[in-house]
C-alpha cells in the first residue's frame, strides 16, 4: 500500500525496477516514483512524505539527507550493499594501500560501505518511536565474513533471515 523506500546503488537498477513494477503497483492504487525518472530526490521525497500510497525508488541522494519520520516510511528495501564505486580515485587509494602492504578492503572500502548502509538504515529509524521493516536483498549480508561489521553497526534490532523462495 505504499510507504516503501527502495535504495539502489545505481540508476540503471532504479530504471529497470521502475519499469517492471510500475504497472503492478499502480493497478493497486499506489504511486511509483523513481529518482531520475520522475524528478529529483528532494522533490520526490516531499511527494513521498505527502502521499502515503507511494513507493519511492532512489539512489545516492536518498541514502542520506532525507528524513521520513513517523509512519511516512514503514518499509525500507536495500537492494545491494552500498560499496563505493571503484572509480579512478578509488583505484589510486587501493594501489597506494597495496603498495604499502595495507588491507585496503578493511581499511577504507568496507568502512565506507558500512557507513553508507547505516545512513540508508537511518531513513527508516530516525527516533526511538519509529518502527518498520528493513529488507536487504543482497546475499552478501548473510554469506560473507564481513556481515558482522554491517549488522553490528545498526541499533539493536530483531533479524530474520529468509530464503528468497520462502
Amino acid at each position: 500500500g505504499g510507504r516503501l523506500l527502495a535504495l539502489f546503488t545505481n540508476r540503471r537498477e532504479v530504471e529497470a525496477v521502475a519499469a517492471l513494477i510500475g504497472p503492478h503497483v499502480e493497478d493497486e492504487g499506489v504511486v511509483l516514483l523513481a529518482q531520475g525518472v520522475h524528478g529529483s530526490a528532494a522533490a520526490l521525497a516531499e511527494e513521498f512524505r505527502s502521499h502515503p500510497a507511494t513507493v519511492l525508488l532512489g539512489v545516492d541522494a536518498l541514502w542520506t539527507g532525507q528524513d521520513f519520520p513517523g509512519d511516512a516510511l514503514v518499509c525500507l528495501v536495500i537492494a545491494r550493499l552500498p560499496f563505493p564505486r571503484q572509480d579512478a580515485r578509488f583505484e589510486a587509494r587501493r594501489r597506494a594501500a597495496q603498495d604499502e602492504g595495507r588491507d585496503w578492503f578493511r581499511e577504507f572500502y568496507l568502512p565506507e560501505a558500512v557507513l553508507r548502509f547505516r545512513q540508508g538504515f537511518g531513513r527508516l529509524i530516525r527516533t526511538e518511536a519509529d518502527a518498520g521493516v528493513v529488507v536487504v536483498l543482497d546475499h552478501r549480508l548473510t554469506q560473507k565474513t564481513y556481515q558482522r561489521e554491517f549488522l553490528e553497526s545498526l541499533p539493536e534490532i530483531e533479524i530474520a533471515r529468509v530464503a528468497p523462495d520462502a
Side-chain angles (χ1 to χ4, degrees):
R3 301 185 298 161
L4 181 144
L5 169 64
L7 297 173
F8 296 85
T9 56
N10 73 64
R11 202 168 300 279
R12 286 185 315 276
E13 290 175 344
V14 169
E15 293 167 358
V17 169
L20 286 171
I21 69 167
H24 301 288
V25 298
E26 289 168 359
D27 286 348
E28 300 294 320
V30 175
V31 174
L32 175 74
L33 300 174
Q35 183 184 351
V37 175
H38 301 110
S40 71
L44 296 179
E46 186 56 39
E47 181 77 15
F48 182 77
R49 282 184 209 93
S50 301
H51 298 93
T54 303
V55 169
L56 177 56
L57 311 178
V59 291
D60 300 327
L62 286 172
W63 282 86
T64 61
Q66 296 294 334
D67 291 335
F68 304 105
D71 65 354
L73 173 62
V74 297
C75 184
L76 172 70
V77 176
I78 296 176
R80 294 183 50 83
L81 296 177
F83 282 98
R85 288 186 183 92
Q86 296 187 17
D87 56 12
R89 180 178 166 268
F90 165 82
E91 288 299 328
R93 288 179 73 193
R94 183 182 56 76
R95 273 194 302 277
Q98 286 176 320
D99 291 347
E100 296 172 10
R102 298 187 336 255
D103 181 354
W104 62 271
F105 183 84
R106 295 229 171 246
E107 184 177 314
F108 62 85
Y109 196 58
L110 180 60
E112 288 178 23
V114 169
L115 175 61
R116 186 77 159 180
F117 181 74
R118 281 179 50 110
Q119 291 170 328
F121 186 90
R123 300 314 93 214
L124 178 65
I125 305 297
R126 300 302 298 169
T127 70
E128 289 183 19
D130 290 341
V133 174
V134 176
V135 179
V136 180
L137 301 176
D138 194 328
H139 70 279
R140 295 176 294 180
L141 191 59
T142 60
Q143 297 177 355
K144 296 294 185 178
T145 58
Y146 51 74
Q147 68 179 296
R148 185 176 344 138
E149 284 88 340
F150 282 96
L151 296 176
E152 288 179 357
S153 75
L154 301 175
E156 189 172 319
I157 58 172
E158 181 180 334
I159 297 174
R161 289 179 169 86
V162 180
D165 58 343

